[in-house]
Amino acid sequence: MAMPTLSAPGAETRPYDADTTACFSVQASADPGVMPRVLELFAKRGLVPTSWHSRVGGVRDDELIIDLQMHGMVRSEAEYVAACLRQIPDVDTVLTSERFRAAAE
Protein backbone atom coordinates (compact mmCIF):
# COMPACT_ATOMS: atom_id res chain seq x y z
CA MET A 1 0.00 0.00 0.00
CA ALA A 2 1.51 3.31 -1.07
CA MET A 3 1.71 6.13 1.45
CA PRO A 4 0.20 9.48 0.52
CA THR A 5 2.60 12.36 -0.03
CA LEU A 6 2.62 15.82 1.51
CA SER A 7 4.02 18.83 -0.26
CA ALA A 8 4.58 22.44 0.69
CA PRO A 9 5.17 25.41 -1.61
CA GLY A 10 8.71 25.19 -2.95
CA ALA A 11 9.39 21.84 -1.26
CA GLU A 12 9.85 18.46 -2.86
CA THR A 13 7.14 15.84 -2.38
CA ARG A 14 8.00 13.71 0.64
CA PRO A 15 6.65 10.53 2.23
CA TYR A 16 3.95 11.08 4.84
CA ASP A 17 2.60 8.75 7.53
CA ALA A 18 -0.61 10.09 9.07
CA ASP A 19 -0.36 7.71 12.05
CA THR A 20 3.20 8.59 13.16
CA THR A 21 4.65 11.51 15.09
CA ALA A 22 8.43 11.88 15.26
CA CYS A 23 9.67 13.26 18.60
CA PHE A 24 13.02 14.99 19.07
CA SER A 25 14.74 16.11 22.26
CA VAL A 26 17.75 18.36 21.73
CA GLN A 27 20.16 19.34 24.49
CA ALA A 28 22.61 22.12 23.66
CA SER A 29 24.54 25.03 25.07
CA ALA A 30 22.28 27.99 25.77
CA ASP A 31 23.42 29.86 22.67
CA PRO A 32 20.94 32.07 20.79
CA GLY A 33 22.00 30.61 17.44
CA VAL A 34 20.94 27.05 18.26
CA MET A 35 17.15 27.50 18.01
CA PRO A 36 17.11 29.02 14.49
CA ARG A 37 19.52 26.32 13.28
CA VAL A 38 17.23 23.60 14.64
CA LEU A 39 14.14 25.18 13.11
CA GLU A 40 15.93 25.65 9.77
CA LEU A 41 16.22 21.88 9.29
CA PHE A 42 12.43 21.66 9.27
CA ALA A 43 11.75 24.91 7.42
CA LYS A 44 13.94 24.03 4.45
CA ARG A 45 11.82 20.89 4.04
CA GLY A 46 8.64 22.98 4.06
CA LEU A 47 7.69 21.71 7.53
CA VAL A 48 6.43 23.43 10.66
CA PRO A 49 6.88 21.36 13.83
CA THR A 50 3.57 20.24 15.32
CA SER A 51 4.85 21.07 18.81
CA TRP A 52 7.88 23.05 20.06
CA HIS A 53 8.87 23.60 23.69
CA SER A 54 12.20 25.05 24.74
CA ARG A 55 13.67 26.04 28.08
CA VAL A 56 16.99 26.96 29.64
CA GLY A 57 17.98 24.82 32.58
CA GLY A 58 20.53 22.37 33.80
CA VAL A 59 22.72 22.49 36.87
CA ARG A 60 24.16 25.91 36.00
CA ASP A 61 21.22 27.19 33.91
CA ASP A 62 23.47 27.03 30.85
CA GLU A 63 21.73 24.28 28.88
CA LEU A 64 19.05 24.73 26.22
CA ILE A 65 16.55 21.90 26.04
CA ILE A 66 14.29 21.75 22.97
CA ASP A 67 11.51 19.18 22.72
CA LEU A 68 9.69 19.11 19.40
CA GLN A 69 7.30 16.86 17.55
CA MET A 70 6.59 16.50 13.84
CA HIS A 71 3.36 14.73 12.93
CA GLY A 72 3.46 12.62 9.79
CA MET A 73 7.25 12.32 9.52
CA VAL A 74 8.38 8.85 8.46
CA ARG A 75 11.22 7.11 10.31
CA SER A 76 13.86 7.46 7.59
CA GLU A 77 13.31 11.21 7.35
CA ALA A 78 13.31 11.59 11.14
CA GLU A 79 16.59 9.66 11.38
CA TYR A 80 18.16 11.92 8.75
CA VAL A 81 16.97 15.09 10.51
CA ALA A 82 18.30 13.75 13.83
CA ALA A 83 21.71 13.12 12.24
CA CYS A 84 21.69 16.69 10.90
CA LEU A 85 20.71 18.04 14.34
CA ARG A 86 23.73 16.28 15.84
CA GLN A 87 26.01 18.22 13.46
CA ILE A 88 24.83 21.65 14.66
CA PRO A 89 27.51 23.50 16.66
CA ASP A 90 26.80 23.58 20.43
CA VAL A 91 24.35 20.62 20.24
CA ASP A 92 25.38 18.00 22.79
CA THR A 93 22.65 15.35 22.60
CA VAL A 94 19.75 14.47 20.29
CA LEU A 95 17.25 11.81 21.36
CA THR A 96 14.46 10.56 19.11
CA SER A 97 11.31 8.51 19.52
CA GLU A 98 8.06 7.83 17.69
CA ARG A 99 4.44 8.03 18.75
CA PHE A 100 1.82 6.02 16.92
CA ARG A 101 -1.90 6.72 16.83
CA ALA A 102 -3.88 3.77 18.15
CA ALA A 103 -5.84 1.88 15.52
CA ALA A 104 -9.60 2.36 15.67
CA GLU A 105 -11.56 -0.73 16.50
Side-chain angles (χ1 to χ4, degrees), residues 51-72:
S51 174
W52 173 293
H53 299 279
S54 58
R55 64 192 176 284
V56 175
V59 176
R60 296 180 305 275
D61 285 335
D62 63 349
E63 296 176 358
L64 175 64
I65 297 98
I66 302 169
D67 293 310
L68 64 96
Q69 297 180 5
M70 186 67 237
H71 180 72

Side-chain angles (χ1 to χ4, degrees), residues 44-105:
K44 71 182 184 180
R45 289 169 176 76
L47 302 172
V48 175
T50 309
S51 174
W52 173 293
H53 299 279
S54 58
R55 64 192 176 284
V56 175
V59 176
R60 296 180 305 275
D61 285 335
D62 63 349
E63 296 176 358
L64 175 64
I65 297 98
I66 302 169
D67 293 310
L68 64 96
Q69 297 180 5
M70 186 67 237
H71 180 72
M73 183 177 272
V74 296
R75 180 178 292 171
S76 60
E77 187 176 21
E79 289 172 353
Y80 180 75
V81 169
C84 292
L85 288 168
R86 291 181 182 104
Q87 299 302 312
I88 295 174
D90 295 316
V91 168
D92 298 319
T93 306
V94 177
L95 303 175
T96 61
S97 63
E98 292 178 304
R99 285 188 317 128
F100 300 96
R101 183 172 32 179
E105 293 190 30

